[in-house]
Amino acid sequence: MDPVIVVGAGPVGLTLALALARQEVPCVVLDEGPGKDEPRAARTVVLREDAAALVERLSGVPLAGLGAHWAGWRSMRRKQVMREVVFDDTEPSPLHIAQHVLTGALREALAGERLVKVAVESRLDALEQEPSGVTAHTRGPKGTWWRGSYLVGCDGPRSTVRKLQDIRFPGRTAVERHAVAALRTELPWHDEALLHRTPPWRTSGPSAGEVSARPLPDGVWRLDWLLPPGKDLVTPELLLTRIRETLAGWSGGTVPAYELLDTGVHTVHHRLARRWRADRVFLAGDAAHLLGALGTHGLDEGLRDADNLAWKLALAWHHGPHEALLDSYQSERRAVVAARLRAADQALPVLRGGGGLRSYVPGSSKGHDTLLTDGHLGHGQLGAPGTYADSPLAPGPLEGDTPVDTAPGAPVTDVRVTAEDGTFVRLRDRLGRGALLVVLIAPGTGVWERKHWARAGLMPRLAAAVAALPHPAELLVAESYPGAAAHTVLLVRPDGHLVTALSGVRPDDLYAAAEAAVGGPVKAQAGAGASAGVS
């Protein structure tokens, strides 16, 4: 079986390659660059808890040492603090990290992967499909043809893969523009992110109407100023004025010492590809969608694309084409991103159009703050991880269905579980291996050695039911789970979304739910999962 071809070596493409390798799927990453990214202090990304955990699990690199977890968040309007958030176990902190640092960590993890080949200075310029695979041509110093089983375009907003497949990419251009500066300085607060609307020192016109400050390691801050609509040039003089007046405004009128490291202009577009799958070709990340207004961040969704697609491609690679499962990637992911784009497009006139908010929520300032906080912190329709409630992989009603605090199709809560070898691990640590997870909620088991309860009570019958499932599954035991009664059985997908919760051990229901979760019966093809080289 030929490897999977991943086009693009940004965070999404590198994450997808790692996720496939963890499931024993070989792949080739076509990187049009030299194999490393130019350091840019002003080009940063914010990762929510689930996205950061995904990268850490795949790379084995603790990202907290490379980026900054915010201690808190505050939003201000003029001189008034509108909202303050302190991050803790109940409110996990976003991670702010320079993009070149993130891709560097992913590249380092890939360097030791025997199943992954990164082809640098290889720009895709031709693509052909046939029933048995994909052929791609790259130009560069070593231009050549590549043969693959599937191909995933993770090659950004101007995706060559998308254009070669003639997939439309409609949407809105320049929804927002921000002037950006990265600088090293000392601000009156430490390690807290800030959104300041209508600051009182607006001496330089409307472009100073909203500014955010987000900390990075080593005393570095990224500052973003919302620019008015249009294409007015952001000159160095204008940006320096913004920096000085903003720092003075936050520091009692005196400009503190600062070192300017990098500047830029960040333009936000909202676009959504019409199709995310064309036979054996898929789109992911910025090649499939662009979003980012109102404090939201598109990389989160790109990493979730990779997480969703990897286990489905791995199953198809090992067991042969499974169209319903592969089709579900577009059905699930496109619907989630489309909902976020709709929410942002509905909120934009309210927040940027000047008035009209009272028709949505009482209290203009309070309503503005709620919407913007949702975007920046990953809450609500603007920022929360999506659920796959209407997924084609959702099982129909089952006799044993029982409610828990996690809705079917939503990401599961990360709880401590006992693995089959008796070790205590986090539930999230068992994701991404291609196997379904079956979790029994059994209060009291955590205080006993596994040998005392593994063969007692419900366990033998549940273990037999798990062994009989139509897809490999791992049996785990948890002391508790939010909203779950004792002896509840959870079925979890390899990407961490809940399939169903059952009241007790119900082998028939468990089998039906597992079969639905992988798209129905899978017919293995001879040699489908044979070992393949990637050169």
Side-chain angles (χ1 to χ4, degrees):
M1 186 88 167
D2 294 313
V4 173
I5 299 174
V6 177
V7 182
V12 175
L14 298 174
T15 297
L16 178 61
L18 272 174
L20 290 169
R22 296 291 184 264
Q23 297 174 68
E24 296 297 315
V25 177
C27 58
V28 173
V29 179
L30 302 182
D31 181 0
E32 68 176 51
K36 60 181 180 180
D37 299 284
E38 176 189 1
R40 288 291 309 275
R43 189 177 187 187
T44 66
V45 295
V46 177
L47 300 180
R48 315 303 175 201
E49 182 197 21
D50 66 307
L54 170 65
V55 174
E56 289 184 335
R57 184 175 72 244
L58 293 173
S59 67
V61 176
L63 295 183
L66 303 177
H69 278 289
W70 305 338
W73 157 272
R74 70 175 66 186
S75 59
M76 298 179 64
R77 184 171 182 266
R78 297 190 176 96
K79 297 181 180 181
Q80 180 182 3
V81 175
M82 303 295 293
R83 184 172 181 180
E84 289 186 272
V85 176
V86 176
F87 295 114
D88 53 25
D89 291 341
T90 61
E91 179 71 37
S93 169
L95 175 76
H96 189 206
I97 185 171
Q99 182 163 317
H100 71 273
V101 173
L102 176 63
T103 54
L106 291 167
R107 287 183 187 275
E108 185 175 348
L110 278 173
E113 275 295 339
R114 61 180 177 83
L115 291 175
V116 179
K117 175 182 177 64
V118 179
V120 300
E121 297 181 333
S122 298
R123 182 178 180 84
L124 180 74
D125 62 3
L127 174 59
E128 298 177 0
Q129 287 202 63
E130 57 191 67
S132 60
V134 181
T135 304
H137 185 267
T138 54
R139 57 184 172 87
K142 298 180 180 179
T144 187
W145 288 94
W146 302 86
R147 179 68 180 174
S149 54
Y150 298 94
L151 183 144
V152 186
C154 305
D155 49 343
R158 297 180 176 84
S159 171
T160 300
V161 174
R162 190 183 64 240
K163 293 172 183 175
L164 290 174
Q165 292 300 296
D166 195 25
I167 296 175
R168 293 184 60 200
F169 198 39
R172 301 173 60 191
T173 300
V175 176
E176 286 185 351
R177 286 198 314 149
H178 297 260
V180 181
L183 48 91
R184 182 175 284 108
T185 190
E186 186 173 341
L187 295 180
W189 56 90
H190 299 284
D191 301 327
E192 291 186 1
L194 169 73
L195 175 67
H196 200 162
R197 296 172 44 239
T198 322
W201 59 82
R202 296 197 330 170
T203 59
S204 303
S207 59
E210 182 176 300
V211 57
S212 63
R214 289 171 287 190
L216 286 160
D218 302 323
V220 176
W221 293 82
R222 170 171 165 167
L223 274 58
D224 290 61
W225 293 266
L226 178 67
L227 297 171
K231 298 182 179 180
D232 295 340
L233 183 65
V234 180
T235 64
E237 293 77 13
L238 177 64
L239 188 54
L240 286 173
T241 300
R242 293 285 179 272
I243 293 171
R244 294 180 64 83
E245 71 179 14
T246 300
L247 294 181
W250 286 336
S251 304
T254 302
V255 180
Y258 70 91
E259 178 187 1
L260 184 59
L261 304 175
D262 192 17
T263 62
V265 174
H266 174 53
T267 303
V268 176
H269 310 287
H270 279 182
R271 296 188 178 277
L272 186 66
R274 292 289 191 194
R275 293 180 293 144
W276 290 27
R277 182 189 180 193
D279 298 323
R280 288 178 173 267
V281 173
F282 299 81
L283 300 177
D286 287 352
H289 51 77
L290 294 175
L291 67 161
L294 308 179
T296 60
H297 296 274
L299 181 56
D300 275 342
E301 295 297 358
L303 295 175
R304 291 167 188 153
D305 294 345
D307 199 21
N308 184 289
L309 182 57
W311 72 273
K312 298 172 181 179
L313 278 180
L315 190 150
W317 192 90
H318 286 294
H319 300 286
H322 197 16
E323 298 308 307
L325 183 66
L326 295 178
D327 282 344
S328 73
Y329 166 67
Q330 174 176 304
S331 300
E332 293 178 343
R333 293 300 306 148
R334 192 177 187 278
V336 164
V337 176
R340 284 191 67 178
L341 285 170
R342 283 194 299 271
D345 285 343
Q346 290 169 0
L348 273 165
V350 175
L351 290 165
R352 307 303 190 207
L357 184 66
R358 289 180 178 84
S359 64
Y360 290 81
V361 291
S364 172
S365 298
K366 185 176 180 180
H368 279 204
D369 179 72
T370 297
L371 290 172
L372 286 168
T373 298
D374 281 352
H376 280 272
L377 299 188
H379 297 159
Q381 290 183 320
L382 283 179
T387 65
Y388 305 141
D390 299 322
S391 168
L393 305 182
L398 301 169
E399 182 180 351
D401 284 338
T402 188
V404 296
D405 286 358
T406 302
V412 293
T413 300
D414 187 29
V415 298
R416 191 181 80 157
V417 295
T418 306
E420 293 183 3
D421 62 1
T423 59
F424 294 114
V425 295
R426 304 300 300 181
L427 178 57
R428 186 176 280 155
D429 293 338
R430 312 309 285 185
L431 300 175
R433 304 179 180 207
L436 298 169
L437 303 180
V438 177
V439 185
L440 172 66
I441 310 306
T445 52
V447 300
W448 300 97
E449 291 186 27
R450 182 181 183 276
K451 64 182 180 181
H452 295 304
W453 52 260
R455 297 174 182 171
L458 302 174
M459 286 299 293
R461 186 165 176 244
L462 180 56
V466 170
L469 292 179
H471 186 76
E474 181 180 8
L475 177 56
L476 304 167
V477 178
E479 281 265 357
S480 62
Y481 187 87
H487 301 158
T488 298
V489 175
L490 310 178
L491 180 63
V492 183
R493 296 177 5 163
D495 58 357
H497 288 254
L498 181 68
V499 179
T500 190
L502 302 173
S503 57
V505 179
R506 297 173 176 267
D508 291 345
D509 283 354
L510 190 62
Y511 189 98
E515 189 172 63
V518 296
V522 181
K523 295 181 180 180
Q525 294 186 352
S531 176
V534 295
S535 59

